[in-house]
Amino acid sequence: MFDSRRPVPPLIPRPLSLTAGEGELVLTRATTVGCHPAVVTADDGQAVVNDHAGAATTTATTTTATAATTTVGAATATDTTGDATATDTTSAATDTTSAATATTGGGDPVEQLGGVLAWLQQALRPATGLPLRESGQATITLGLAGNLGPEAYRLTVTPVGAVVLGGTAAGVFYGCQALLQLLPPAVHRRSPVAGQHWAIPAVEISDEPRFAWRGAMLDVARHFMPKHDVLRFIDLMALHRLNTLHWHLTDDQGWRLEIRRYPRLTEVGAWRRESQVGATRDAPGDGRPHGGFYTQDDVREIVAYAAQRFVTIVPEIESPGHVQAALAAYPQLGVGKEPLDVYTRWGINRNVLNAEESTVIFFQNVLDEVLALFPSRWIGVGGDECPRDQWRDDPRTRERMIELGLTGEEQIQAWFIHRLDEHLTAAGRRLFGWDEILEGDLAPGTTIASWRGMTGAVAAARRGYDVVACPDDRVYLDYRQSESPDEPIPVSIPLTVADVYAFDPVPDGLTPDEARHILGGQANIWTEHADSPRTVDYLAFPRLCAVAEALWSPAGGDYEEFFRRLRHHLARLDALGVEYRHAGGPLPWQRRPGVPGRPDTRQQRAAHIARLVENIAPQEVS
Amino acid sequence: MFDSRRPVPPLIPRPLSLTAGEGELVLTRATTVGCHPAVVTADDGQAVVNDHAGAATTTATTTTATAATTTVGAATATDTTGDATATDTTSAATDTTSAATATTGGGDPVEQLGGVLAWLQQALRPATGLPLRESGQATITLGLAGNLGPEAYRLTVTPVGAVVLGGTAAGVFYGCQALLQLLPPAVHRRSPVAGQHWAIPAVEISDEPRFAWRGAMLDVARHFMPKHDVLRFIDLMALHRLNTLHWHLTDDQGWRLEIRRYPRLTEVGAWRRESQVGATRDAPGDGRPHGGFYTQDDVREIVAYAAQRFVTIVPEIESPGHVQAALAAYPQLGVGKEPLDVYTRWGINRNVLNAEESTVIFFQNVLDEVLALFPSRWIGVGGDECPRDQWRDDPRTRERMIELGLTGEEQIQAWFIHRLDEHLTAAGRRLFGWDEILEGDLAPGTTIASWRGMTGAVAAARRGYDVVACPDDRVYLDYRQSESPDEPIPVSIPLTVADVYAFDPVPDGLTPDEARHILGGQANIWTEHADSPRTVDYLAFPRLCAVAEALWSPAGGDYEEFFRRLRHHLARLDALGVEYRHAGGPLPWQRRPGVPGRPDTRQQRAAHIARLVENIAPQEVS
C-alpha cells in the first residue's frame, strides 16, 4: 500500500499547495462515497474532518459553518446533529459565495453537493467498474466548509479515505476534479479498464482560483456544433475548471437559437447556401449548405448540464452588426430592407440593423426569450465590428437620427446598445458586450469583453466597468499555432502554448481599485475555419489548458514547469479522445494544404489593432 | 396518480404482448433501484415477483433458476436464501443462454446484472435528477428468471414498483430499455428537465427477439468516426436493442486500427490525401486530407462499452481486396510491390494482396492482435469485390499458383481466405465474410454476410453455413432514401423506411433446417458519402429503427402501425439530438446540391446483382 514516489501533482490547473503524504488510497469494490453537507473545519489551514458515523447524507450537522474562522473544538463538536437546519447551513454558505453564485446561478448548496456526488459516481464508475455506493460513513466524503472561498477546495487523501471540502459545491466539484487528476489518466475512459490499479496518493491540497470568470467563447454561428458535441465541450471545460461558456449563437453566417416568436430566424437563418474555404477575399465557396440550430429544449438541457458542472452559459445575440442571418429571415430589420441571403463569406459585413423602434422591440423580444432560457447574470449583445456606411447613406436613418437627437452615425450604435441595456437592466441582468461599446455611454453594470488587445480593459476599468479580458493577441484560439506553413488555414499571428500561458487578464497600469474590475478572462474560439468538432479540438487543445491555468493560478507561472505537467495531462486528453495539436505540429489529416490563410506578423497585427482602438484608448495608452 | 389513458406501447421494437394495467408508477426522490439476481418465477406467463425485504443485492437467493419451468411455489420459496451460491446461479443461467453469450462475450450474469443496474441509474438520473439510490427493497427491481429465453424480458409495472426480469442480464437490459420507452421522451436528455412528470404506466410486457444477430455495420474506413461518436452510435444501437456492431475497420481508403507489430498501417494507412466528392467516375477530389485511427486502448474501451450495453463488436479486416491502405504502408504485400497512396477514389480497386506466404503470415499476425482486442466469436476478414486482374497478369503469382496447386486465379482468393479461416478456427473463433467467399470451400463454422441480395443467404444455408442477411436492396442505408433529387449524393435504389421495414432475413424457399442457419440480419452503413457523424445520423435514422424492429419482432409487421409508433419514437431521437431524416426529406443543410450521385432503378440494380452472383447462385435461384 505504501508508495514512496512523490505523487504526480494535480496538473491543469496547478494547485496552490500540495503536500505528499505517506501511502495511497486504493479504490476497491468497498469504496463508498458520501456527503457531509456541513462538515466544518479548520483553524490554521489544517483540515479537520468530522467523520462521525451515520451522518445522514441530507441533513446538516453543525452551526459552525456560519463562522468564517472556526476552531478544532467547534468542528469536532458536530455531534450536536440537528442544531442547524439545512437552510441555515445554506444561507451561511451563500453569504461567502457571491462570486461563485454569480457564475453558477445560485441554488441550494446542499442539494448541489448531492449533485456533485452523483457526478463523481458517474465520473469514477465507467473506467473503474466499481459500484461506489453511497454511504454515511464513506471512503470518499464531500463536504462544505465555511472558511473556504466560494470556489476554493481542500482535498485530503489518506490511506483510509479522501475528503473533499469546498466553500461551495463548486469548490467541492473542483476538488473532485483534482481527485480525478490524482488517479491514472485511464479514469477518463468510459468503460472498465482491465488491470488498472486505482490508487490515489496520500496528499493534501489547498487550492482556489485567482479569477471568478474563467471562460471560453465558442462560436457556433460560423459552424454549427451538434448538441452532444457542445455537452462534450462543456465537460472538457469543467475538467479544466473553467466556469463560463460565452456562447456566440448568432452572426452573419447563421442564427442558431430557436426563438418561438420569430420562427424564421431559424427556418431561414439557421443555414447558409455555402461556406468560404480559406481566409482570403478571393477564397472560393465550397458549394455545400451548412446549418443547424438548438431548440429551446436543447438549450435548457445544455444550460442545466453546464450548471451541474458549475459552468455558466453567457449567451450572445449579436447586434447591431453581425446580423445578416437575422436580416435574411426578417428583411424589415435592415437598413435597405432588400432580400439578403445568410452570409456565405467571412469577415466584416456592411449589412446592419436599422434604427427603427420596431427593430429595437424585435431584439428586446428576442432577449426576453433568451432571458427565460439563460439564468446567467450576464447577457451578451455583441456590439463589435459594426460598419456605419449604411446608416450614413440612408435618408430614413438620417431622419431617425434627428428624431432621436443623434448627431453622428457612431451614436446610433451607442443608442441601440443603450436600449438593450435598459431592457436587460430592468430584468435584473447585466449587459455584456465587446469593447467597441465603450464608444458610447454605458449603464454602470455593463461588462466589457476586451478583445482588441488590452486597451479596452484599461479604458473600461478606469471608467468603472467590469472587464473580461480576451485579448486577441493572447487568447484567440483560432489564430495559427506556430509559424509552420503546415498549420491549417493559418490566420493572424502565431499563438503558441507558451504565448497563451503568459496571458495575464490584468493589464499593467491599473490602480488596485481599477484592477478589481477585471473579473477574469476567456479564450475565444472563432470557427470560420473550424468546420467540425474535430477541428475545434485541434484549435482549442492544449492551448485552452494553458488558458485555464493562467486564469486559475497566481500570475507569473513558470512555463517550463507547466510544460512538464502538460505532457502528463495530454494522456488524459488521449483517454478522452481529444484530437489536440501535437507538439510536433498538425497530424497529416489535420492539415489543409492549399487553403489560403491570412497570416500577419505581430507588428502588422499590433498596428492594425492600434488603429481600431484609437477612439476608446485612454490617453496614456494610445 | 391514476391514469386511465391507454399507455403508448413501447415503440421500437414492438413488444410481443403488452397489457395495460391500472395506474402508474410515479418516480420521485424516494424511488430506489435494486437487483435480485435470481428472483425466479412464473408458470403460465404471469410474472410472480419475489419481493421479500432485505435481499442483498449481491447474493444469490435460490436454486430454482436451474429449472427451465418453475412453479409459483418454487418461486415463492426463495426465502431459503443462501442455499445456492452466486456461482451456482451463474452456471444455471448460462446453460440457457448460449445465443446471448455468443453475442455478449459471456461473463457472470449476476455481475452483469449489477452492471445493468448501474447503467439504469445513469440512464435515469440525468433527466429526472432523482438520486435513485440502491436498496434491497427497491421500487425498480431487476432480476434473472430461468424460464425466460436468453434475451427475453418481462416487465411488470404497478403503482408500487416495477420489476424487470430477463433470461440473462441482456434480457434485463432490454426490459430496462422498455422501461425508458414508457417514460416521456425527455428521459433521454442529459440534464434535469424541469416540470416533467416522471411516471410509468402500469403495464405488463413480455417480449423477446426473433433473431440472435441484430446488427449494424459501420464503415469507419471510408470516413473515420471519432471515438466518442462511435460510443454514441453504440448507445443508439442499444436503444434499439441491436446487439451486433460489424465494424468495418480497414479498406482501400484507410486503416483505422492500431496494430503494434505493424505501426505503418496507421502511420501511413490511417489517412489519405483527399477524398472523392460524389459517386461518379469523374467526380472531383476535395483536396483535403482525411484520417484518424483508434489506438488499442481506444478499442478496448469501445469493446467494453459496447459489451456493457450487450453489443458485440465484430471487427472486420478486409482481405484480399480492399487493401490499398495496407499496401500503401507495406508495399511488399502487393502484387506489383510498387509504391501506392492510400486510395482517394471510391469504388472497386484493382490493387490486391499477393499470394506470398509472408503476406498470409502478415495478416495472421494482424489477426492475432485483433483476437486479443475483440472477444467476439466472429471475426470478419472481408472477401468481397476482389478483382483478379493483377493475379492473372503477374508471372510470380502464376508461379505461386503452381506451387500451391491452384488452377485458376479465382482459387487464390479461396486459398487466402482458407488460410485465415484455419488461423481463426485454431483460435476458437469463426470466420465472418461477405458472400463472395462462397466461391471457395469454407470451413464448417464459417458465417456469411449475404449482401448481394439474398442469393448468398440461400446458397450458404443450403451448404450448411450460418448466414447474416444484409441484402443491399433492403438494408444498405447509404442508398438514397427517396426518389427526390434533393437526397444528398443519391446512390443506387431508393430505400424508404417502408422498404426497410419489410426486410425479412429469412429468404423464401429454405427448409426449416436450412432456415435455422439464418442467424439474423444487419443494416450496412457505408460512408463514402457520409463524411461526418451528422451525415451518418441522416442515413441511419429512422431507417435503422425499422431494421431493428424487423430483426426483433415477428415477421410481417404492419407498416402503418409501425409508422404511427415511429412518430412518437422520433421525439426520443429529438431528445437525443439525432439528426435523422425528416419525413419531408432532407433539411436544407442536409442537401448536397450539385454533387453527383449514381442512382439506379430497381431493375438496373437487380440485373447488376444477378450477374455478380451467377457463380454462387443455387440452381433454382439463378
Side-chain angles (χ1 to χ4, degrees):
Chain A
M1 295 277 284
F2 177 78
D3 185 341
S4 64
R5 291 168 304 177
R6 193 180 178 288
V8 179
L11 300 178
I12 315 289
R14 176 181 51 191
L16 284 182
S17 78
L18 179 146
T19 315
E22 294 205 346
E24 60 186 18
L25 173 64
V26 179
L27 301 190
T28 67
R29 293 191 70 82
T31 300
T32 51
V33 294
C35 291
H36 292 256
V39 172
V40 182
T41 81
D43 49 353
D44 56 358
Q46 179 67 31
V48 177
V49 178
N50 163 15
D51 61 352
H52 65 89
T57 57
T58 53
T59 53
T61 55
T62 172
T63 58
T64 58
T66 50
T69 58
T70 59
T71 64
V72 175
T76 55
T78 53
D79 279 339
T80 58
T81 307
D83 284 359
T85 66
T87 311
D88 287 343
T89 310
T90 304
S91 58
T94 50
D95 283 345
T96 61
T97 61
S98 57
T101 53
T103 53
T104 61
D108 175 351
V110 175
E111 186 151 332
Q112 287 183 343
L113 200 57
V116 176
L117 187 74
W119 173 86
L120 181 64
Q121 279 182 309
Q122 171 246 298
L124 285 171
R125 276 173 166 173
T128 65
L130 299 174
L132 292 160
R133 297 204 168 81
E134 280 184 56
S135 161
Q137 194 165 21
T139 315
I140 301 175
T141 305
L142 314 186
L144 300 171
N147 62 333
L148 291 178
E151 295 188 294
Y153 68 87
R154 181 169 301 144
L155 169 62
T156 309
V157 182
T158 69
V160 298
V163 178
V164 187
L165 298 176
T168 65
V172 178
F173 180 77
Y174 297 132
C176 289
Q177 291 284 6
L179 192 77
L180 293 184
Q181 288 180 332
L182 289 167
L183 282 159
V187 75
H188 293 292
R189 299 218 173 247
R190 288 168 60 189
S191 58
V193 180
Q196 179 70 59
H197 178 65
W198 300 109
I200 309 172
V203 289
E204 175 159 343
I205 301 171
S206 292
D207 201 3
E208 74 183 307
R210 180 176 172 208
F211 293 105
W213 185 303
R214 303 182 306 281
M217 189 221 70
L218 183 65
D219 170 13
V220 295
R222 270 55 177 267
H223 280 101
F224 177 70
M225 183 181 275
K227 182 185 77 176
H228 46 272
D229 292 301
V230 175
L231 300 182
R232 172 178 175 270
F233 187 80
I234 290 166
D235 277 325
L236 291 173
M237 287 182 65
L239 176 77
H240 293 89
R241 295 175 227 185
L242 295 169
N243 67 0
T244 307
L245 173 59
H246 170 188
W247 205 16
H248 187 75
L249 283 162
T250 72
D251 213 305
D252 296 312
Q253 295 85 2
W255 185 286
R256 306 287 170 224
L257 175 66
E258 179 190 22
I259 298 295
R260 298 214 164 141
R261 185 165 183 150
Y262 303 118
R264 285 175 58 84
L265 285 171
T266 45
E267 285 166 13
V268 172
W271 70 282
R272 60 179 178 264
R273 214 179 56 251
E274 66 170 359
S275 306
Q276 175 181 330
V277 181
T280 54
R281 281 184 213 291
D282 59 352
D286 65 359
R288 181 174 186 168
H290 178 84
F293 68 96
Y294 309 98
T295 67
Q296 295 206 352
D297 282 343
D298 291 340
V299 169
R300 275 185 280 269
E301 178 182 6
I302 292 168
V303 167
Y305 186 91
Q308 288 183 316
R309 287 147 184 83
F310 302 94
V311 172
T312 298
I313 301 191
V314 176
E316 180 183 5
I317 304 296
E318 270 272 18
S319 69
H322 285 288
V323 290
Q324 188 163 325
L327 300 182
Y330 294 96
Q332 65 269 34
L333 302 172
V335 176
K337 301 189 174 62
E338 75 270 32
L340 289 167
D341 283 339
V342 178
Y343 201 41
T344 59
R345 309 293 301 172
W346 313 130
I348 297 176
N349 181 323
R350 63 189 296 277
N351 295 301
V352 298
L353 295 180
N354 62 34
E356 302 296 338
E357 183 64 16
S358 56
T359 297
V360 171
I361 291 172
F362 183 101
F363 272 78
Q364 289 177 344
N365 288 338
V366 166
L367 288 179
D368 284 343
E369 295 196 27
V370 169
L371 294 175
L373 290 169
F374 294 93
S376 163
R377 174 185 292 185
W378 291 272
I379 302 290
V381 299
D384 58 320
E385 297 181 332
C386 183
R388 294 152 190 164
D389 315 56
Q390 286 189 334
W391 292 333
R392 192 191 55 223
D393 300 342
D394 179 51
R396 169 64 190 154
T397 302
R398 288 213 297 281
E399 245 175 73
R400 278 292 285 163
M401 286 171 60
I402 294 165
E403 283 172 36
L404 297 167
L406 306 178
T407 55
E409 295 90 37
E410 72 286 356
Q411 294 178 10
I412 297 176
Q413 161 147 353
W415 165 81
F416 189 87
I417 295 292
H418 179 71
R419 293 294 305 276
L420 299 188
D421 195 359
E422 285 178 331
H423 196 72
L424 294 176
T425 301
R429 310 294 184 98
R430 296 174 64 169
L431 184 142
F432 176 59
W434 300 105
D435 58 29
E436 281 92 336
I437 66 174
L438 287 167
E439 295 173 21
D441 282 332
L442 299 168
T446 302
T447 299
I448 301 295
S450 175
W451 74 274
R452 298 176 297 179
M454 294 294 264
T455 306
V458 174
R462 292 203 175 151
R463 285 166 61 184
Y465 301 121
D466 285 346
V467 172
V468 175
C470 46
D472 75 309
D473 59 355
R474 280 290 176 202
V475 289
Y476 264 36
L477 301 190
D478 58 324
Y479 286 7
R480 59 198 170 115
Q481 308 203 43
S482 75
E483 294 281 8
S484 163
D486 284 339
E487 292 300 339
I489 318 184
V491 297
S492 201
I493 58 173
L495 285 183
T496 64
V497 178
D499 292 330
V500 170
Y501 187 73
F503 172 46
D504 188 331
V506 180
D508 292 335
L510 295 187
T511 66
D513 271 354
E514 289 164 353
R516 268 192 285 279
H517 283 292
I518 310 294
L519 302 182
Q522 64 183 31
N524 291 353
I525 304 168
W526 300 106
T527 60
E528 289 92 338
H529 310 299
D531 61 357
S532 81
R534 299 184 71 186
T535 311
V536 171
D537 273 13
Y538 177 81
L539 293 178
F541 297 98
R543 292 189 295 186
L544 192 58
C545 313
V547 173
E549 177 151 320
L551 293 170
W552 180 280
S553 296
D558 173 356
Y559 178 69
E560 293 306 319
E561 187 256 355
F562 170 78
F563 187 74
R564 282 193 298 276
R565 287 182 286 119
L566 181 61
R567 275 203 315 229
H568 187 81
H569 186 64
L570 294 179
R572 292 186 195 111
L573 300 186
D574 284 329
L576 288 159
V578 175
E579 300 189 74
Y580 57 86
R581 181 185 186 275
H582 288 232
L587 297 169
W589 56 87
Q590 292 173 324
R591 295 182 192 147
R592 297 294 300 274
V595 181
R598 209 176 54 204
D600 279 339
T601 64
R602 283 205 167 256
Q603 288 71 20
Q604 287 168 332
R605 182 76 197 161
H608 174 66
I609 290 288
R611 277 193 304 276
L612 290 182
V613 298
E614 267 170 10
N615 54 350
I616 66 161
Q619 233 40 4
E620 60 278 55
V621 172
S622 65
Chain B
M1 299 274 284
F2 178 78
D3 184 342
S4 63
R5 290 167 301 176
R6 192 180 179 286
V8 180
L11 300 177
I12 314 289
R14 176 180 51 191
L16 284 181
S17 78
L18 179 146
T19 315
E22 295 206 343
E24 60 185 17
L25 172 64
V26 179
L27 302 190
T28 67
R29 292 192 70 83
T31 300
T32 50
V33 294
C35 292
H36 294 256
V39 171
V40 181
T41 77
D43 48 354
D44 56 0
Q46 180 66 30
V48 176
V49 178
N50 163 13
D51 62 351
H52 63 90
T57 56
T58 52
T59 53
T61 55
T62 172
T63 59
T64 57
T66 50
T69 58
T70 59
T71 66
V72 174
T76 55
T78 53
D79 279 340
T80 58
T81 306
D83 285 359
T85 67
T87 312
D88 287 341
T89 311
T90 305
S91 60
T94 49
D95 283 343
T96 61
T97 60
S98 57
T101 52
T103 53
T104 59
D108 174 353
V110 174
E111 185 151 331
Q112 287 184 342
L113 201 58
V116 176
L117 186 74
W119 173 86
L120 181 65
Q121 279 181 309
Q122 172 247 297
L124 284 171
R125 277 173 165 174
T128 65
L130 300 173
L132 292 160
R133 298 206 168 79
E134 281 184 54
S135 160
Q137 193 165 20
T139 315
I140 302 175
T141 305
L142 314 185
L144 299 171
N147 62 334
L148 291 177
E151 294 188 295
Y153 68 87
R154 182 170 301 144
L155 169 63
T156 309
V157 182
T158 70
V160 296
V163 177
V164 187
L165 298 176
T168 65
V172 177
F173 180 77
Y174 297 132
C176 289
Q177 291 285 7
L179 193 78
L180 293 185
Q181 288 178 332
L182 289 166
L183 282 158
V187 75
H188 293 292
R189 298 214 175 251
R190 289 168 59 188
S191 58
V193 179
Q196 179 71 57
H197 179 65
W198 300 108
I200 310 173
V203 290
E204 176 159 342
I205 300 171
S206 292
D207 201 3
E208 73 182 308
R210 180 177 172 209
F211 294 104
W213 185 302
R214 304 182 304 281
M217 189 220 71
L218 183 65
D219 171 12
V220 294
R222 270 59 175 264
H223 281 102
F224 177 70
M225 182 180 277
K227 182 185 77 177
H228 45 272
D229 292 301
V230 174
L231 299 181
R232 172 177 174 269
F233 187 80
I234 290 167
D235 277 325
L236 291 172
M237 287 182 65
L239 176 77
H240 294 88
R241 294 175 229 185
L242 295 169
N243 68 359
T244 308
L245 172 58
H246 170 187
W247 205 16
H248 187 76
L249 283 163
T250 73
D251 213 305
D252 295 314
Q253 295 85 2
W255 183 287
R256 305 288 170 222
L257 174 66
E258 179 190 21
I259 298 294
R260 299 215 164 140
R261 186 165 183 151
Y262 303 119
R264 284 175 59 85
L265 285 171
T266 44
E267 286 167 11
V268 171
W271 70 282
R272 60 178 178 263
R273 214 180 54 250
E274 66 169 358
S275 305
Q276 175 181 330
V277 181
T280 53
R281 279 184 217 289
D282 59 353
D286 65 0
R288 181 174 187 169
H290 178 83
F293 68 96
Y294 309 99
T295 65
Q296 295 205 350
D297 283 342
D298 291 339
V299 169
R300 275 185 282 267
E301 178 182 4
I302 293 168
V303 166
Y305 186 92
Q308 288 182 316
R309 288 146 184 83
F310 303 94
V311 171
T312 298
I313 301 191
V314 177
E316 181 182 6
I317 304 296
E318 271 272 16
S319 68
H322 285 289
V323 290
Q324 187 162 324
L327 300 183
Y330 294 97
Q332 65 267 34
L333 302 171
V335 176
K337 301 190 174 62
E338 75 270 30
L340 290 167
D341 283 339
V342 177
Y343 201 42
T344 60
R345 309 293 302 172
W346 313 130
I348 297 175
N349 181 322
R350 62 190 296 278
N351 294 301
V352 298
L353 295 180
N354 63 33
E356 303 297 339
E357 182 65 15
S358 56
T359 297
V360 171
I361 291 172
F362 183 101
F363 271 78
Q364 290 177 344
N365 288 338
V366 167
L367 288 179
D368 284 342
E369 296 195 27
V370 169
L371 294 175
L373 291 169
F374 295 92
S376 163
R377 177 186 289 185
W378 291 272
I379 303 290
V381 299
D384 58 319
E385 299 182 329
C386 183
R388 293 154 191 163
D389 314 57
Q390 287 189 332
W391 291 333
R392 191 189 57 225
D393 300 342
D394 177 51
R396 168 63 192 155
T397 302
R398 287 214 297 284
E399 247 175 70
R400 276 293 284 162
M401 286 172 61
I402 293 165
E403 283 173 35
L404 297 166
L406 306 178
T407 55
E409 294 90 38
E410 74 284 359
Q411 294 179 10
I412 297 175
Q413 162 149 354
W415 165 79
F416 189 86
I417 295 292
H418 179 71
R419 293 294 306 277
L420 299 187
D421 195 359
E422 284 178 330
H423 196 73
L424 293 175
T425 301
R429 310 295 183 96
R430 296 173 64 167
L431 184 143
F432 176 60
W434 300 104
D435 59 27
E436 282 92 337
I437 66 174
L438 287 167
E439 295 174 19
D441 283 334
L442 299 168
T446 301
T447 298
I448 301 295
S450 175
W451 74 275
R452 298 175 298 178
M454 293 295 264
T455 306
V458 174
R462 292 203 174 148
R463 286 165 62 184
Y465 301 120
D466 286 346
V467 171
V468 175
C470 48
D472 74 310
D473 58 354
R474 280 290 177 204
V475 288
Y476 264 36
L477 301 189
D478 57 324
Y479 286 7
R480 59 198 171 115
Q481 308 204 43
S482 76
E483 294 280 9
S484 163
D486 284 338
E487 292 299 338
I489 318 182
V491 296
S492 200
I493 58 172
L495 285 183
T496 65
V497 178
D499 292 331
V500 170
Y501 187 72
F503 172 46
D504 187 331
V506 181
D508 292 336
L510 295 187
T511 67
D513 271 353
E514 289 164 354
R516 266 192 284 278
H517 282 292
I518 310 294
L519 302 182
Q522 65 183 28
N524 291 353
I525 304 169
W526 299 105
T527 60
E528 288 93 339
H529 310 299
D531 60 358
S532 81
R534 299 184 71 184
T535 312
V536 171
D537 273 13
Y538 177 80
L539 293 177
F541 297 98
R543 293 189 294 186
L544 191 59
C545 313
V547 173
E549 176 149 322
L551 293 170
W552 179 280
S553 296
D558 172 357
Y559 177 70
E560 293 305 321
E561 187 255 354
F562 170 78
F563 186 74
R564 281 193 299 276
R565 288 183 286 119
L566 181 62
R567 275 204 313 230
H568 186 81
H569 185 64
L570 294 181
R572 290 185 197 113
L573 299 186
D574 284 330
L576 288 159
V578 175
E579 300 189 75
Y580 57 85
R581 182 186 185 276
H582 289 233
L587 298 169
W589 57 87
Q590 292 173 324
R591 295 181 193 148
R592 297 294 302 272
V595 181
R598 210 176 54 204
D600 280 338
T601 63
R602 283 205 166 258
Q603 289 71 22
Q604 286 168 332
R605 181 76 197 162
H608 174 66
I609 291 287
R611 278 193 303 276
L612 290 182
V613 298
E614 266 171 10
N615 54 350
I616 66 160
Q619 236 36 6
E620 60 276 55
V621 172
S622 64

